[in-house]
Amino acid sequence: MLRTHTRGELTAANEGERVTLCGFVWKSRDLGGLLFIDLRDRYGFTQVVFDPVVDSVLTKDAAALHGEDVVEVTGVVRLRPGDMRREDIKTGEIEVRADCLRVLSRAARLPFLVAEEETAKEPLRLKYRYLDLRRPPMQWNLEIRHVTINAIRQYLNSRGFLEIETPILMKSTPEGARDYLVPSRVHKGNFYALPQSPQMYKQLLMVAGLDRYYQIARCFRDEDPRVDRQPEFTQLDLEMSFAEEDDVFEVTEGAFAGVFRETLGYELPLPFPRMTYHEAMNRYGRDKPDVRFGFELTDVTEVCGESESAVFKKTVEEGGRVFAVVAPGGLSRKEADELEKLAKDEGAAGLAFFKVEDGGKLAGALAKFFTPALSERLLTVTGAERGDTILAAAGPFPATAEVMGSVRLALAEMTGVQKASGWHFLWVTDFPLFEEDPETGGPVPSHHPFTSPKPEDIEYLETDPLRVMSRAYDIVLNGVELGSGSVRIFEPELQRRVLRAVGVTDEEIEERFGFFLEALSYGVPPHAGIAPGIDRLVWLICGVIGIRDVIAFPKTTEATSPLDGSPSPVSPTQLRELGLSLDIDE
RNA sequence: GGGGUCGUAGUUCAAUUCGGCUAGAGCACCGGCCUGUCACGCCGGAAGUUGCGGGUUCGAGCCCCGUCGACCCCGCCA
């Protein structure tokens, strides 16, 4: 090694030692005589002093250094003069008096300043990611990521799990998200898909008797990226044989506890609380509720149904529901307009406002349809008080609850509610097996088609699929869905029935899932698993704006990489080898 | 695919309500001064096809149209 020590390592205890340091020039302060240079590496900073009285040529050379030059400095560690010590820096007590300087590599003029608090804008940061990653906060994020994954591995290894890799090139099964496809050269016209998750493989590992599997698995979904979503991302994929919900919960909680212990030194309270999907929707209008603050929804269907309002009466007669949320202290005109627009954009017919006046009297466009007794009941149910405004929307469930869930979040945002600090994990359980496809009206899996129905609901698979409940569960942290899992189907016939229920024909079942169904016919340990997203977990732990900040080389929201210019065209030769020709509109 | 915001010096940002004289400042860069700084300080300098293309106008960084890119949101994300 060129260096004897790293930055951040030297303290007063090293006084008098002759050391060699290597690193980047962070900042320099040229006082005309004395010259100070802060050297940076992954581990920290160290101040180096050049003194012209000791060596004027050396000091002159050092004065010509620029930020991000890579240098090797040799010198003697010494204590700083008494009043020059710094307590706020780890190495603030010492400095290295340089007697030798070697420039290993000069930095050209930088596209942006690395040693600057304010960051460059994201296009530049992504194009020059290797410079962006020199910034200590970014290195910190990646270190947290490493510690997180390491903690997960340590815990699962200790619990008898095997880490097993599964293929990146696999069969395309067009359920769920859009697949990334890879053309086959050997079998022209055929394609591999990149895994959206290793779902079937991990179940096959259970069939194989591997019993406890996990993988830090890269997954690919060809959908538009978001601040919390990347086309390729990393999941902790795990699966357990002879396991049920509680077993998966216990292992997941243990792994997360290890992560928070190692990264933040925080002891998570276990077990995590649980809430059913129905409770989450009714109280928060979300299947991933942020329970750090109130503004909970209330169900005012009954009260509103008894009012003379045609809108409410009709909704209730048609089996719809009415949900309310209270804005404490009322709303400004602007805020009310904003919330109404939000509700309409989210698909509500409208948003009703009831201002609570003196004596519990209601004001607002629909207030006249409420008798004093009914008004009284509305106040009791919602808990609203004088000066508050009650907001309500009517319509089908769960869509209306979701609208009011959005209103709740917006309301919390605009009133600047203090979200309680801390880490509020939550298991959400008892999901419906299917959701209604808004386009076809038919059922689609709400988790994935390998999720086991609740045994008591299996009889309704064909007759009333939307009432079938599943053994799926989500892990939620501070309102962010970290991952989903389920107890799986392990009987081939039940698997066929679920696939048929979501409209897969028998031929398609054989073609796409035949190998899998056959596997289920050779003796299968009942199994269950989960797949929490690593990027999102690290994102929340780091407290950064977006998921891109915890990924070394992320894609843009247009799914490109400014760094290497991908995706990019390929040569006609490459296409010919694959038997492909392009047919691009415009 | 749709909506929104943004694009000005290497970089981060300015540039009067409805368009008006030579497009400014911090950091970085170059030159000079400075021996205890740590956001060092002081003096001076260089640095611009205002993303690109078109239009309106006596005159456009600013208004209009198109286009490219980035970010945020909707759709999408089993």
Side-chain angles (χ1 to χ4, degrees), chain A residues 375-390:
Chain A
S375 302
E376 179 70 37
R377 278 172 60 198
L378 188 61
L379 291 184
T380 308
V381 174
T382 59
E385 293 175 358
R386 190 172 70 85
D388 296 348
T389 298
I390 303 169

Side-chain angles (χ1 to χ4, degrees), chain A residues 278 280-286 297 321-323 346 393-408:
Chain A
H278 257 86
M281 292 306 295
N282 278 292
R283 287 175 59 190
Y284 300 97
R286 282 287 183 277
L297 274 47
R321 305 265 298 275
V322 189
F323 288 95
E346 301 249 328
F397 184 86
T400 304
E402 278 174 24
V403 170
M404 291 309 289
S406 300
V407 169
R408 168 181 181 261

Side-chain angles (χ1 to χ4, degrees), chain A residues 356-361 376 379 386:
Chain A
V356 185
E357 302 192 321
D358 288 333
K361 200 168 170 313
E376 179 70 37
L379 291 184
R386 190 172 70 85

Side-chain angles (χ1 to χ4, degrees), chain A residues 511-575:
Chain A
E511 201 280 313
R512 275 153 40 186
F513 302 103
F515 72 101
F516 184 72
L517 289 162
E518 185 180 2
L520 295 185
S521 72
Y522 296 124
V524 183
H527 54 287
I530 192 167
I534 300 285
D535 313 276
R536 285 188 182 174
L537 178 61
V538 178
W539 168 48
L540 294 178
I541 291 173
C542 290
V544 290
I545 301 290
I547 204 174
R548 290 189 293 270
D549 278 350
V550 299
I551 298 172
F553 299 103
K555 302 284 189 289
T556 67
T557 51
E558 294 295 321
T560 64
S561 170
L563 177 62
D564 58 14
S566 68
S568 58
V570 296
S571 72
T573 311
Q574 285 175 290
L575 287 176

Side-chain angles (χ1 to χ4, degrees), chain A residues 55 78 84 164 177 246 263 289 297 347-348 361 390 400 415 427 554 566:
Chain A
D55 190 335
R78 63 173 202 182
M84 297 305 155
I164 301 172
D246 286 350
T263 55
L297 274 47
K361 200 168 170 313
I390 303 169
T400 304
T415 56
W427 289 108
S566 68

